[in-house]
Amino acid sequence: MPGLYVSRRDAKGDCVTTTFDLRITAPNREPVVDTPALHTIEHLAATYLRNSEKKDDVIYFGPMGCRTGCYLILAGDYESKDVVGLVRDTFSFIADYEREIPGAAAKDCGNYLDMNLGMAKYLAKKFLNEVLYDIKPDRLVYPE
């Protein structure tokens, strides 16, 4: 189900990283996110996160190969509930975004023409409304 899940935790020495699964669509039940929208979400979320209060903990944000959502990797040992606000703020930024897409230029991106801001905004609003605004406990832990 769409949600905000801890996918895994990894440790190397004293450093722990937490990988979050930001599941936007239900796998194998809903259409996947189209590549241009997912690419746009990646650019906008990465821009927002690099400038957020958690910027020092952000290691990576990017799309899942299956195109049902994105991964967010943070330095630290977190639970899903710990980052709901950050993810909600990130997707609100995407839903409200109206300017040029950051990094959507040949010098910055290897596929800069493959963007769809309208669909990215639509999906961000859908994720906010259906998951993040009133997130339920079952959307914070992977279903059995």
Side-chain angles (χ1 to χ4, degrees), residues 16-29:
V16 175
T17 60
T18 306
T19 301
F20 295 95
D21 172 343
L22 284 60
R23 189 65 59 145
I24 297 170
T25 65
N28 303 308
R29 287 186 290 228

Side-chain angles (χ1 to χ4, degrees), residues 98-142:
E98 293 292 337
R99 299 182 308 265
E100 293 292 318
I101 299 166
K107 67 181 180 61
D108 300 319
C109 179
N111 197 9
Y112 75 98
L113 295 175
D114 193 27
M115 300 278 181
N116 186 336
L117 181 58
M119 185 56 74
K121 290 168 58 101
Y122 168 82
L123 290 165
K125 287 175 189 171
K126 183 177 185 298
F127 192 48
L128 286 163
N129 290 327
E130 295 179 5
V131 178
L132 297 173
Y133 282 146
D134 187 26
I135 195 160
K136 305 292 186 224
D138 67 334
R139 298 296 179 99
L140 294 168
V141 178
Y142 279 128

Side-chain angles (χ1 to χ4, degrees), residues 13 34-35 45 51 54 60 65 70 73 87 89 94 100 118 120 124 133-134 139:
D34 74 309
T35 302
N51 294 288
K54 287 284 192 194
Y60 173 78
C70 299
I73 304 174
V87 174
D89 292 348
I94 296 166
E100 293 292 318
Y133 282 146
D134 187 26
R139 298 296 179 99

Side-chain angles (χ1 to χ4, degrees), residues 12-125:
K12 184 156 182 135
D14 293 339
C15 180
V16 175
T17 60
T18 306
T19 301
F20 295 95
D21 172 343
L22 284 60
R23 189 65 59 145
I24 297 170
T25 65
N28 303 308
R29 287 186 290 228
E30 291 183 290
V32 298
V33 179
D34 74 309
T35 302
L38 194 58
H39 191 197
T40 305
I41 290 169
E42 174 193 12
H43 276 242
L44 293 174
T47 297
Y48 181 83
L49 291 164
R50 286 185 195 121
N51 294 288
S52 73
E53 76 274 358
K54 287 284 192 194
K55 66 183 177 190
D56 293 335
D57 292 340
V58 174
I59 293 174
Y60 173 78
F61 182 90
M64 295 177 178
C66 64
R67 295 186 295 141
T68 59
C70 299
Y71 288 118
L72 169 62
I73 304 174
L74 297 177
D77 187 0
Y78 293 99
E79 298 295 332
S80 296
K81 64 182 172 58
D82 299 330
V83 299
V84 169
L86 177 66
V87 174
R88 187 172 37 233
D89 292 348
T90 301
F91 277 79
S92 292
F93 174 80
I94 296 166
D96 296 336
Y97 197 80
E98 293 292 337
R99 299 182 308 265
E100 293 292 318
I101 299 166
K107 67 181 180 61
D108 300 319
C109 179
N111 197 9
Y112 75 98
L113 295 175
D114 193 27
M115 300 278 181
N116 186 336
L117 181 58
M119 185 56 74
K121 290 168 58 101
Y122 168 82
L123 290 165
K125 287 175 189 171

